[in-house]
Amino acid sequence: MKKILLATSALVMVAGAAAAEVKLSGSARMGLIFDGEDTLLTSRVRVVFTMSGETDTGLSFGASMRSDQFGGNQKKDSAGDLLGSSQTGNNDSTVYVSGPFGKLTLGDVDTAAEGLVGHVSGVGLTGLGDWNELRYLGHEKTAALYEYSAGDLTFALSAGQIEDLDGVAANDDAYSVAVKYAPGDYSVALGYETAGGVDHIALGASATFGGATVKFVASDTDISGDPTQYALSLDYKVDAATFTIFATDEGTTNNYGIGAAYDLGGGAKVVGGIVKVDDSSVDDTIADLGLSFKF
């Protein structure tokens, strides 16, 4: 009888393993970065675990996490001290379930507006401060994102709590809704966010013509004195090389970047960029150059 039970248990375990899948991927980079004053060495390694499965009724589920974020589920108080294990703290991990009803994801997700409208293209090996990105209201690391697609149309809705933001109290509820239409080589997207009495709207569009892709994003809040923000980028691909330029206009802040990437094959690229930062607190030219790897 014991042998029959053991054999049955083994079959159940094998069947369960066949229905689920765990994938390992990662990225790394190495090179030089000029921070406006000094030239420094830079490197980073990331490992991503992606898990997926399916129920007997065809319901899909899965999760992902990054190995460089161990301890990310520990929340900190306003002084930066650890509060111990938290059910709401998170960092770069998600859990989802999907089916004919759409996809529901909990964890470190973007707001609906940021996910569908997004940003223009950036440059550089390290991102060079991500000055190509316009500001979204965002939310704390554990939030909910619902997505539903029908043909070329995608709808998204998210809910969470607001991160620290000028003029908005932390821990206020944050909500966002967005829609995107992407038939073929162009797309348009509109997103709305609200948190702590602040409303934010973002509009994005992109188009591809042969080897060129143009992206545009406009963003505006109802915070007094907060200017409308604009961003534009152009990516141009020639054989194994991709050239990128971007510009952002945030009122008193205007940033510009130019960069290039050359695909060496096998997941390796030579990547570099230069960004002119014209912020109220920063006025520098920064740059980087090196190798990036995908595994």
Side-chain angles (χ1 to χ4, degrees):
M1 183 66 179
K2 289 183 178 179
K3 291 183 178 180
I4 294 175
L5 289 175
L6 288 172
T8 304
S9 299
L11 286 172
V12 170
M13 291 176 67
V14 171
E21 185 177 16
V22 178
K23 292 183 178 180
L24 188 65
S25 61
S27 63
R29 68 189 188 207
M30 57 187 292
L32 300 171
I33 182 170
F34 175 68
D35 64 3
E37 295 183 357
D38 301 302
T39 300
L40 308 169
L41 296 171
T42 180
S43 68
R44 187 184 70 184
V45 178
R46 283 180 170 171
V47 179
V48 179
F49 298 87
T50 304
M51 297 152 277
S52 62
E54 187 174 303
T55 67
D56 293 338
T57 58
L59 194 67
S60 298
F61 57 90
S64 67
M65 66 172 292
R66 276 194 348 212
S67 68
D68 64 346
Q69 298 298 333
F70 288 154
N73 287 337
Q74 291 187 321
K75 202 168 186 179
K76 298 181 180 181
D77 61 19
S78 59
D81 297 323
L82 288 174
L83 295 175
S85 181
S86 169
Q87 297 299 314
T88 57
N90 206 328
N91 211 346
D92 298 303
S93 66
T94 59
V95 182
Y96 74 86
V97 60
S98 65
F101 57 85
K103 182 179 181 180
L104 177 64
T105 306
L106 266 66
D108 187 6
V109 294
D110 290 331
T111 66
E114 185 169 6
L116 294 193
V117 179
H119 304 278
V120 301
S121 296
V123 300
L125 176 71
T126 63
L128 292 173
D130 298 323
W131 291 100
N132 59 296
E133 298 184 359
L134 300 183
R135 184 179 61 177
Y136 287 84
L137 296 184
H139 42 48
E140 291 291 346
K141 295 303 182 184
T142 293
L145 173 66
Y146 169 74
E147 302 165 278
Y148 182 81
S149 295
D152 299 324
L153 193 65
T154 300
F155 168 82
L157 179 68
S158 66
Q161 290 184 311
I162 192 69
E163 295 177 326
D164 293 335
L165 180 70
D166 292 342
V168 180
N171 299 322
D172 278 337
D173 291 338
Y175 302 99
S176 178
V177 62
V179 63
K180 184 175 184 177
Y181 182 62
D185 293 333
Y186 72 92
S187 69
V188 290
L190 179 65
Y192 167 78
E193 300 175 312
T194 183
V198 173
D199 295 326
H200 173 235
I201 190 168
L203 172 67
S206 68
T208 298
F209 310 93
T213 298
V214 180
K215 298 178 183 177
F216 170 79
V217 176
S219 169
D220 190 44
T221 72
D222 63 354
I223 298 176
S224 177
D226 197 20
T228 301
Q229 304 174 36
Y230 303 95
L232 181 69
S233 70
L234 170 64
D235 296 282
Y236 190 73
K237 184 174 178 58
V238 182
D239 296 326
T242 301
F243 303 92
T244 301
I245 58 173
F246 79 83
T248 64
D249 181 351
E250 303 175 49
T252 58
T253 303
N254 296 281
N255 307 306
Y256 311 91
I258 183 170
Y262 187 84
D263 193 343
L264 300 173
K269 292 182 179 181
V270 180
V271 186
I274 302 173
V275 172
K276 177 66 172 69
V277 183
D278 183 19
D279 185 73
S280 58
S281 59
V282 181
D283 186 6
D284 272 323
T285 298
I286 55 180
D288 63 14
L289 177 66
L291 295 170
S292 71
F293 309 103
K294 294 286 186 181
F295 305 99

